[in-house]
Amino acid sequence: MLEEVERWLATRSWSMSERPLHRILAAKQRTGQTVSVVLPALNEEETVGDIVAIIRHDMMRQAPLVDEVVVVDSGSTDRTAAVAAAAGARVVHRDTILPRIPAVPGKGEVLWRSLLVTTGDIVCFVDADLREFSSDFVTGIVGPLLTDPDVDLVKAMYDRPLAGSAGQGGRVTELMARPLLNMHWPQLAGFVQPLGGEYAARRSLLEQLPFPVGYGVELGMLVDALHLVGLDALAQVDVGVRKHRHQDGQALGRMSAAIYRTAQLRLARGHLIRPALTQFERGEDGFEPRTYSVDTEERPPMAEITEYAERRVA
């Protein structure tokens, strides 16, 4: 590990206990910064309501930390939108945001569009499939941004159990993302959960970043933020244990392909060799190929979007 990373781990890798809530709230009041929490959601009716309810109870009613909770529905076919709204979130459908640019499927697409329908100086992203959710996930990653002006982006780190086994979750992280980062961007080797969906950042940073439309968004954001603001502006906070719905092996393969493509584009900024992934499923006549396209589109920095600039002027 680079000496720079060892130093970063000692100075930018924190635990929840280092910033008690009263200190975070005092910093928020002193600085006047506002906080938006965004939940990207696709068919998450089983979990999204509990997450919204906990955020509203713990961090809006009991403690004035969060100013708005927005669920961006990316085309759910279940009751995700209704459940989220009943729990108190403002629900916005992906397709109604910036309609002049047709939306494409993908998590990164939803996160990018959320910048247009939120107002917070700090934007906190939380996946909508978390189980046994704790408000520590929000206070942990928002806290450093309110108390430390030199920090621009904070990732949550946590244990990820799989089928009852501790530390066995995060398979794409261990098999794809961590090797890529260690080999090509060793300054980012200290991140425990580089692909984690719980992170917070200053709007002033997010609006300058391109957003890969799919699963490569977290890796792309880390790499681009490193180049834009430097390693010391990035941090991570231990928030305990993350429990969520796990994907099957083939879905993980498609995620890995999207992440590799995001990395390849940042390495070469050139020709993509083959933006497709073929996988195999056993059918009646043996193994049958299934070919999926790999996300090849990225959204430009939000600061370059006319509607966003006009909203800020207004």
Side-chain angles (χ1 to χ4, degrees):
M1 183 176 290
L2 298 176
E3 290 185 10
E4 180 182 6
V5 176
E6 293 181 352
R7 177 191 55 76
W8 179 84
L9 283 170
T11 60
R12 287 290 188 267
S13 189
W14 297 302
S15 68
M16 281 285 302
S17 61
E18 294 182 63
R19 288 176 182 78
L21 182 58
H22 69 84
R23 180 185 166 196
I24 297 172
L25 292 173
K28 184 178 191 295
Q29 185 175 22
R30 184 177 66 254
T31 62
Q33 296 178 92
T34 54
V35 177
S36 299
V37 176
V38 172
L39 280 72
L42 177 64
N43 295 329
E44 303 294 356
E45 67 174 340
E46 293 184 6
T47 51
V48 68
D50 288 341
I51 297 172
V52 170
I54 290 170
I55 292 172
R56 284 183 54 80
H57 177 269
D58 292 0
M59 289 172 286
M60 296 182 81
R61 290 197 290 268
Q62 286 198 336
L65 178 63
V66 172
D67 298 281
E68 63 175 351
V69 181
V70 179
V71 171
V72 183
D73 187 349
S74 59
S76 297
T77 56
D78 65 1
R79 298 182 61 252
T80 290
V83 170
R90 178 161 61 93
V91 180
V92 185
H93 195 282
R94 173 200 63 198
D95 295 348
T96 67
I97 307 171
L98 200 61
R100 73 172 177 85
I101 300 177
V104 298
K107 179 182 180 182
E109 177 83 351
V110 173
L111 300 185
W112 181 72
R113 289 175 187 265
S114 75
L115 297 181
L116 264 167
V117 293
T118 54
T119 60
D121 302 304
I122 294 168
V123 183
C124 174
F125 298 118
V126 176
D127 281 350
D129 66 342
L130 300 189
R131 302 181 184 278
E132 300 179 28
F133 176 77
S134 166
S135 56
D136 288 348
F137 275 79
V138 175
T139 54
I141 56 181
V142 167
L145 294 165
L146 289 169
T147 60
D148 295 80
D150 295 332
V151 175
D152 288 328
L153 184 149
V154 183
K155 297 278 294 189
M157 57 177 168
Y158 32 66
D159 295 316
R160 296 183 67 179
L162 176 64
S165 299
Q168 295 303 304
R171 291 161 288 173
V172 175
T173 293
E174 299 304 327
L175 297 174
M176 175 60 70
R178 200 177 308 285
L180 281 173
L181 292 175
N182 275 264
M183 289 187 290
H184 299 296
W185 297 281
Q187 287 177 294
L188 298 174
F191 277 95
V192 175
Q193 297 292 350
L195 301 185
E198 290 67 51
Y199 49 99
R202 300 191 191 280
R203 178 177 294 272
S204 57
L205 171 62
L206 292 172
E207 65 187 15
Q208 297 181 69
L209 298 177
F211 276 61
V213 297
Y215 284 115
V217 63
E218 274 85 22
L219 183 135
M221 189 176 295
L222 266 186
V223 171
D224 293 339
L226 173 68
H227 291 305
L228 193 62
V229 296
L231 182 59
D232 283 340
L234 314 179
Q236 61 184 351
V237 175
D238 188 348
V239 298
V241 179
R242 183 186 197 267
K243 297 181 180 180
H244 65 110
R245 171 174 43 82
H246 291 281
Q247 304 273 8
D248 62 36
Q250 292 209 333
L252 296 180
R254 296 191 290 274
M255 292 171 62
S256 296
I259 290 163
Y260 178 77
R261 175 263 166 192
T262 300
Q264 187 268 346
L265 184 60
R266 277 151 181 77
L267 286 169
R269 293 293 175 183
H271 177 64
L272 290 175
I273 298 173
R274 180 177 178 266
L277 174 72
T278 298
Q279 297 177 317
F280 294 88
E281 298 178 5
R282 183 181 289 280
E284 294 181 0
D285 299 321
F287 285 102
E288 300 174 356
R290 299 284 187 272
T291 299
Y292 302 87
S293 62
V294 175
D295 298 321
T296 58
E297 189 170 357
E298 294 196 3
R299 295 306 190 189
M302 187 57 77
E304 298 177 6
I305 299 299
T306 301
E307 289 88 340
Y308 187 78
E310 290 174 347
R311 189 193 72 165
R312 297 189 67 183
V313 171

